[in-house]
Amino acid sequence: MTGELITPVRVLIADDHRLFAEALEAVLSSEARIEVVGRAADGGEAVELARRLEPDLVVLDISMPVMDGFEAAAALEELRPPPAVLMLTGSNSPEDIDRARRAGAKGYITKDAIAASLVDAILDAALASIERRGPRRRRLVVAARAGDATGDLRRADRRHSWSSRQIR
């Protein structure tokens, strides 16, 4: 990703595996372009925290109790302004990717691709949704980008390597 954020992207993490969520928060907190504003243990809590904290982006695990990631993504789309959603999961099945797209997710990344791709995937998904988020979210000022390095899920390769891919 080639762009410079003037203010950090506000991120909410939703994953029912506490140790994984804590590790993810530690990784993201070390990145100056990202501010972790909260952590949820299930989809219902993610929606409630998003309503209260107004993050720019919510990282959602697909498989969670109370409300799964697909249901939570659809519920987050109803918020005003809606946060961007990045699905984070162990699955790379085409069915899950299609369901994520239908639920309104802007990106999909597998947990095995975290180290190399997560920060860029978060920033790409957040930047892709800035325009529809309204004037308050335009505080995420972005320098001109040199091309699109994310790829498009509709043209994804046959191996279904979906890390850091943007859903349009």
Side-chain angles (χ1 to χ4, degrees):
M1 151 130 200
T2 59
E4 185 178 322
L5 293 176
I6 303 305
T7 58
V9 174
R10 295 170 40 85
V11 175
L12 171 66
I13 298 168
D15 195 301
D16 60 323
H17 294 101
R18 184 181 55 80
L19 291 178
F20 180 82
E22 288 173 358
L24 182 58
E25 181 175 3
V27 168
L28 295 180
S29 293
S30 71
E31 171 59 54
R33 298 171 293 176
I34 295 173
E35 175 188 1
V36 177
V37 296
R39 208 172 61 225
D42 61 63
E45 183 181 14
V47 173
E48 183 54 40
L49 284 175
R51 183 175 289 117
R52 189 164 33 93
L53 300 173
E54 297 186 1
D56 298 309
L57 181 131
V58 179
V59 177
L60 283 176
D61 186 15
I62 286 179
S63 180
M64 292 185 290
V66 180
M67 179 186 290
D68 70 22
F70 302 119
E71 294 169 314
L76 290 167
E77 276 292 304
E78 301 301 317
L79 298 181
R80 294 294 171 248
V85 170
L86 177 66
M87 296 300 233
L88 177 65
T89 183
S91 168
N92 66 354
S93 82
E95 295 81 19
D96 284 347
I97 293 160
D98 190 49
R99 285 184 67 196
R101 181 186 306 115
R102 287 193 316 264
K106 299 294 176 237
Y108 187 103
I109 188 166
T110 57
K111 289 182 177 180
D112 62 348
I114 288 175
S117 307
L118 183 59
V119 169
D120 284 342
I122 285 172
L123 297 174
D124 287 345
L127 297 175
S129 70
I130 286 173
E131 286 306 311
R132 75 181 190 117
R133 302 283 311 280
R136 190 173 89 64
R137 292 299 194 234
R138 288 196 181 101
R139 66 181 170 72
L140 297 172
V141 179
V142 182
R145 291 179 65 187
D148 180 12
T150 62
D152 186 325
L153 283 183
R154 291 174 293 192
R155 295 182 286 116
D157 60 61
R158 293 180 201 273
R159 292 174 290 121
H160 303 294
S161 176
W162 306 107
S163 59
S164 188
R165 303 295 177 143
Q166 182 178 341
I167 300 174
R168 295 189 178 139

